[in-house]
Amino acid sequence: MEQINPDVLISEDDISLRINALAKAINEDFSGEELVVICVLKGAFMFCSDLIKKIELPVRLEFIQLSSYGDGMTSTGNVKIEMDVSTTLKDKNVLIVEDIVDTGLTITTLLKMLEIRDPKQVKLASLLFKPSRNKHKVPIDYLGFEIEDKFVIGYGLDYAGRYRELPYIGVLNAGN
Ligand code: 5GP
């Protein structure tokens, strides 16, 4: 497989510093409470892993997988649950952990799907947000970084199934 060198958009150190700040806010907001953390697969796995290491509350970790994007760079516009959480959300404090809010369609649909399960409250942590592409207003309670309209990879995010393992957020340059 050919070697690629994406351009670094957000470094490993900057991600780590930002996650510390987000975790601090979460620890304060949910002080004395338990949290069901829902990691949205696959893109949020690395962010979620690093974030929960800094959360000093009793956490139950759950995973959910949705389909909205295919292998390319454009949305199919159709969001489905491919794999659901394995616990009840009734009366629970829920923190959804997402990789990126782009048009907002995926997360808006997920929020509606979870709301009918009667949780105590639902908050959203997203590593990235592309304001220029946003169509569906999404309340991001804990946001990592706002980015411009570029297709990003790394730190969990893929392009056609690749680059998730990179420890930083990058953009594919013309040479790649
Ligand atoms: P939305 O429904 O908000 O338009 O899209 C959200 C999903 O699209 C994200 O969870 C992610 O899977 C994918 N996505 C949107 N923008 C990007 C991007 O720049 N890079 C990658 N790898 N995925 C993206």
Side-chain angles (χ1 to χ4, degrees):
M1 205 175 274
E2 96 209 72
Q3 188 59 37
I4 48 94
N5 293 302
D7 293 333
V8 178
L9 187 67
I10 307 172
S11 72
E12 204 176 341
D13 283 352
D14 286 347
I15 295 171
S16 172
L17 284 173
R18 191 72 195 116
I19 286 178
N20 288 345
L22 297 183
K24 186 166 180 283
I26 292 166
N27 288 331
E28 285 168 8
D29 292 353
F30 290 95
S31 175
E33 304 266 352
E34 287 185 7
L35 208 52
V36 176
V37 173
I38 302 181
C39 174
V40 184
L41 295 175
K42 297 178 184 172
F45 85 94
M46 209 179 272
F47 173 44
C48 189
S49 164
D50 286 344
L51 183 66
I52 60 171
K53 285 183 226 166
K54 304 285 174 181
I55 293 182
E56 295 160 352
L57 304 163
V59 162
R60 178 177 177 125
L61 178 62
E62 291 287 330
F63 298 94
I64 199 163
Q65 187 158 18
L66 309 168
S67 56
S68 62
Y69 266 55
D71 260 1
M73 296 187 184
T74 51
S75 174
T76 61
N78 188 5
V79 181
K80 273 197 333 201
I81 295 183
E82 296 287 338
M83 188 191 86
D84 208 343
V85 299
S86 60
T87 188
T88 175
L89 302 180
K90 189 166 167 43
D91 300 327
K92 305 281 184 176
N93 297 301
V94 174
L95 178 68
I96 301 172
V97 181
E98 175 63 303
D99 54 357
I100 182 165
V101 175
D102 185 17
T103 65
L105 174 71
T106 308
I107 209 68
T108 307
T109 312
L110 179 62
L111 285 168
K112 278 191 205 140
M113 287 166 167
L114 297 186
E115 209 49 65
I116 54 177
R117 299 183 189 187
D118 215 9
K120 184 171 171 191
Q121 58 174 325
V122 179
K123 300 276 186 191
L124 172 64
S126 183
L127 179 64
L128 303 169
F129 175 53
K130 281 186 198 167
S132 58
R133 302 236 321 148
N134 194 239
K135 283 197 204 126
H136 306 262
K137 280 276 153 282
V138 182
I140 305 177
D141 302 286
Y142 308 100
L143 173 62
F145 304 90
E146 264 190 28
I147 58 167
E148 28 175 323
D149 185 13
K150 289 184 173 164
F151 191 84
V152 290
I153 49 148
Y155 200 71
L157 291 115
D158 77 313
Y159 172 58
R162 292 189 56 199
Y163 311 116
R164 292 192 198 276
E165 71 281 14
L166 298 177
Y168 58 87
I169 293 165
V171 281
L172 291 176
N173 51 51
N176 295 308

